[in-house]
Each structure stands twice: as structure tokens, then as C-alpha cells.
Amino acid sequence: MTVMRRALEFLFTRALRSRLGVALMIGVVVVAVLGATRLISNPADSADGLSSRPDGPIITVDPTAGDDGLLNSAAPPSPVTSPGARTPEQTAERFAKAWLGRPGMTAEEWQAGLRPLSTPALREKLTGAEPESVPAEKVIGPPSMRERNETFVELLLPLDAGGLRLELVTADGGWLVDVLDWERP
């Protein structure tokens, strides 16, 4: 016990108080930190150490699956219209004419004019709307169409007080307006 006591006393009173003792202690701490870091982060053999990192990159997409980017260079397919059915442009023009209405039109007449050209979802959203709430009076140009796929298109009709943006979908062989949006100039 006295030997241990003397060794500790020597260590704390003389060795650690000298420059050489402090330098040795710093060296031991540096070696311990480097050894622990190497053991955890980058072992020589991937089976060694505490890290469970994979050796190579994790591939989540099949590299042979084609272009998975946001921008698609291929042109969207043209919308499909059944023989004898209205085209998306014709449906949009008829809807715009019914939506603009005429002076003195009642809400029931206005809703009845929109009903055959709109989806049930849009009909429900337009419930309670009045023809007086329409902010325009006439169409001033042809619609411009943006084809999304064979069964979904967007059309923008220029009106005297802005633009009417319509999203059309196919239903039962014909085109119906599903979304109606107003764009101000």
C-alpha cells in the first residue's frame, strides 16, 4: 500500500508538474482519441469496428429504368376523344359560354347550363354560386391548351377581365370540366 501511495504521490507532485509529464499526458490523450475515432469511423476491415455503414452507395432506383427526372423531354400524349364526342376545346368554349351566362339569368338556369359540362365534384363546389359573381362578360380569344396526358388537359380561355383556367378530364367518353379557376390580368 505504501508503494502505491508513493507512486501516486510521485506522479501528482513531480511527474505531472513537470513539462515532460504534461507532454506525456497530452500524448496519451491524443493517441486514445485517435484510436477510438479510427475504431468507430473507419476500421481497416468493414467487419471490424462499431460502424454499420455500407461499403458502397445505396441504390434506390433501378439505373436501367430510364429517365426519372422531374423534367420530361418526351411530348405528352394527345388527348383522346371518342368519335362524335366534343373535343376539350369545344367543351371549354361551351362551358365558358354557360359560365358567363346572360343578363337576367336565374341561379337555377345558370346551374342547369353548367351541369352537363362539369363533373359531380365541380357541381358540388358551384352549389350556391350566383351568375352575378362571374367577373367577366365575354370570351375574347381562342383557348390555349396544355396537354397533361390522354385523359387530362388544362385550357386557358382569355376573357375581357382576365383568364378562365379549366382542367378537363374524360368521363364516359366525353370531356368534363373538373376544376375552374379565375386568373386576373
Side-chain angles (χ1 to χ4, degrees):
M1 188 81 156
T2 58
V3 175
M4 183 63 125
R5 184 175 175 190
R6 283 189 182 177
L8 286 173
E9 195 175 293
F10 175 76
L11 182 68
F12 286 110
T13 58
R14 293 194 181 150
L16 290 179
R17 292 191 180 208
S18 69
R19 290 182 186 167
L20 180 63
V22 172
L24 284 173
M25 285 304 289
I26 290 174
V28 168
V29 169
V30 167
V31 168
V33 168
L34 290 175
T37 304
R38 182 167 173 91
L39 177 70
I40 291 172
S41 68
N42 191 14
D45 184 14
S46 62
D48 295 341
L50 303 175
S51 175
S52 60
R53 276 189 336 195
D55 290 335
I58 297 173
I59 299 174
T60 59
V61 177
D62 182 10
T64 61
D67 184 14
D68 64 340
L70 183 61
L71 299 175
N72 189 359
S73 59
S78 296
V80 176
T81 304
S82 300
R86 290 184 310 269
T87 65
E89 294 93 342
Q90 291 170 335
T91 302
E93 287 171 353
R94 281 190 178 177
F95 183 88
K97 185 177 180 184
W99 185 68
L100 292 171
R102 63 182 187 280
M105 180 180 261
T106 66
E108 291 80 23
E109 292 173 330
W110 185 65
Q111 294 281 344
L114 297 174
R115 191 170 295 118
L117 302 167
S118 56
T119 62
L122 182 60
R123 278 184 242 142
E124 184 178 323
K125 288 178 186 175
L126 291 175
T127 301
E130 300 285 331
E132 294 84 27
S133 65
V134 175
E137 294 179 10
K138 63 180 179 176
V139 177
I140 59 171
S144 60
M145 182 168 64
R146 188 181 325 177
E147 302 161 344
R148 297 297 187 179
N149 61 37
E150 295 173 344
T151 60
F152 174 67
V153 297
E154 276 184 55
L155 282 118
L156 181 63
L157 285 115
L159 302 179
D160 58 346
L164 179 63
R165 188 180 67 81
L166 303 174
E167 292 181 5
L168 282 77
V169 295
T170 56
D172 300 326
W175 289 92
L176 296 176
V177 177
D178 189 45
V179 174
L180 160 73
D181 195 12
W182 176 251
E183 296 181 357
R184 295 180 185 206

